[in-house]
């Protein structure tokens, strides 16, 4: 059975020195998914990298939640396009090697 | 590190307002932020430059320092503190040198700067030009030494300086010799040598400006009957004719027999002679008798 690794939002608030509402707003905007267990909010540890990036975008660039959402969509799109570009280049190289 | 023009980095004018700086930074940050430019080293570097520019220019105090000192803005406090210390240091050195007649070496002065700023030629503060330190020296002379123009060789801070001392120099007078002080820093001009004359007077003459004053004792008989009197002047004796019935404290002016006028060849002050009547003592019986007769004659 797969074990889910969760971390309490309260701990992240202390560690990153941010308000609890920041996570609430991220959740309301659909950027992260909170897990509530006995009235305590948790987040999956594999999302911490994204959360840190969201914090930087919010603090460094004063992006609101909608702005962060747009950036993440575009970054994912770029990632996807980069992957497709890499795959296309690799396929092209196969044909070039045959020639 | 090359000088970075923060205004240019943010693409704003030097007269930009705080709002304009903020706006320019935000625009640049959105463009070059590493999170929106993943795996892009050039953007990352650019974002660092933009952030640094913003940190400086968005802080009014830092911006003021940057505008004033340019690339040296980080050392602005050091530079200003150093300049203040230099002034204090110069004052202290001036006092101590007045006692010793010496100076301090150029190397010591450089060390002082080095200790403040380090020695790297690329450091910005090295470009600030400082005028060299003024050297102060005191030259002790006798009044007779300055009666005629004379040449002297002084050794100040290890350097021999040949100096013409004009006749008539006054006690406490200072002369400045430009360019004979400490070396300037970073191409700054040399300082000056300031020499203060301390003139002692071991003569019987009192000097006041260009005039001399002397007291001459006059015997009773010459004072009453008149006569000739040889008196000392600063450069020899002169014969004075005392008029009959000269009173005690009478002043006589000997024109042109005073002290030379400073830097005016052939011009001299006056010598004032004050007669101090010397009454006879240890009178003989005969002298007492004659004085009594004189007294009776005067009363009659």
């Amino acid at each position: 059975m797969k074990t889910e690794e969760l971390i309490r939002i309260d701990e992240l608030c202390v560690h990153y020195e941010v308000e609890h509402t920041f996570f609430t707003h991220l959740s309301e905007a659909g950027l992260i998914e909170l897990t509530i267990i006995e009235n305590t909010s948790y987040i999956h540890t594999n999302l911490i990298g994204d959360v840190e990036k969201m914090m930087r975008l919010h603090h460094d660039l004063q992006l609101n939640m909608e702005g962060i959402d747009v950036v993440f969509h575009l970054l994912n799109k770029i990632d996807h396009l980069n992957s497709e570009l890499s795959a296309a280049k690799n396929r092209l190289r196969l044909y070039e090697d045959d020639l | 590190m090359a000088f970075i023009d923060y205004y240019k980095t943010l693409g704003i004018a030097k007269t930009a307002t705080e709002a304009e700086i903020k706006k320019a930074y935000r625009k640049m940050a959105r463009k070059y932020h590493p999170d929106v430019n993943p795996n892009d080293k050039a953007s990352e570097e650019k974002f660092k430059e933009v952030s640094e520019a913003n940190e400086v220019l968005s802080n009014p105090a830092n911006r003021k320092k940057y505008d004033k000192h340019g690339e040296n803005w980080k050392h602005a406090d050091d530079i200003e503190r150093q300049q203040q210390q230099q002034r204090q240091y110069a004052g202290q050195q001036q006092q101590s040198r007045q006692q010793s007649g010496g100076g301090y070496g150029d190397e010591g002065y450089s060390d002082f700067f080095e200790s403040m700023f380090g020695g790297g030629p690329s450091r910005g503060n090295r470009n600030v030009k400082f005028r060299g330190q003024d050297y102060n020296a005191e030259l002790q002379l006798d009044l007779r030494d300055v009666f005629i123009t004379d040449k002297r060789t002084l050794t100040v801070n290890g350097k021999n300086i040949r100096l013409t001392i004009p006749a008539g120099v006054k006690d406490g007078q200072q002369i400045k010799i430009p360019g004979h002080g400490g070396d300037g820093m970073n191409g700054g001009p040399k300082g000056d040598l300031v020499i203060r004359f301390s003139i002692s007077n071991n003569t019987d003459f009192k000097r006041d400006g260009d005039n001399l004053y002397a007291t001459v004792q006059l015997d009773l008989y010459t004072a009453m009957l008149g006569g000739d009197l040889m008196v000392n002047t600063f450069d020899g004796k002169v014969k004075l004719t005392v008029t009959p019935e000269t009173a005690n404290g009478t002043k006589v002016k000997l024109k042109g027999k005073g002290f030379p006028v400073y830097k005016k060849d052939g011009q001299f002050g006056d010598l004032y002679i004050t007669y101090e009547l010397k009454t006879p003592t240890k009178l003989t019986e005969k002298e007492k008798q004659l004085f009594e007769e004189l007294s009776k004659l005067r009363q009659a």
Side-chain angles (χ1 to χ4, degrees), chain A residues 53 56 60-62 71 75, chain B residues 26 29-30 33 35-36 38:
Chain A
K53 195 184 280 186
R56 288 197 297 268
D60 295 350
L61 304 181
Q62 287 78 44
V71 169
L75 287 174
Chain B
R26 283 185 175 178
R30 283 196 295 270
H33 197 282
D35 286 324
V36 294

Side-chain angles (χ1 to χ4, degrees), chain B residues 148-173:
Chain B
I148 53 169
T149 298
D150 196 11
K151 284 184 167 34
R152 292 276 178 122
T153 302
L154 305 181
T155 304
V156 178
N157 206 34
K159 292 176 186 170
N160 289 332
I161 296 164
R162 193 160 167 76
L163 182 69
T164 299
I165 302 168
V169 163
K170 294 177 176 63
D171 183 38
Q173 187 173 338

Side-chain angles (χ1 to χ4, degrees), chain A residues 29-79:
Chain A
L31 288 164
I32 57 171
E33 195 176 330
L34 295 179
T35 304
I36 314 288
I37 302 170
E38 295 179 350
N39 293 326
T40 304
S41 301
Y42 295 84
I43 190 175
H44 280 271
T45 52
N46 59 4
L47 281 177
I48 286 178
D50 283 348
V51 169
E52 284 181 345
K53 195 184 280 186
M54 290 170 197
M55 282 180 198
R56 288 197 297 268
L57 292 172
H58 180 66
H59 289 117
D60 295 350
L61 304 181
Q62 287 78 44
L63 297 188
N64 58 16
M65 301 303 148
E66 291 75 15
I68 293 170
D69 195 17
V70 170
V71 169
F72 264 68
H73 274 300
L74 290 173
L75 287 174
N76 287 334
K77 204 170 192 175
I78 289 171
D79 267 349

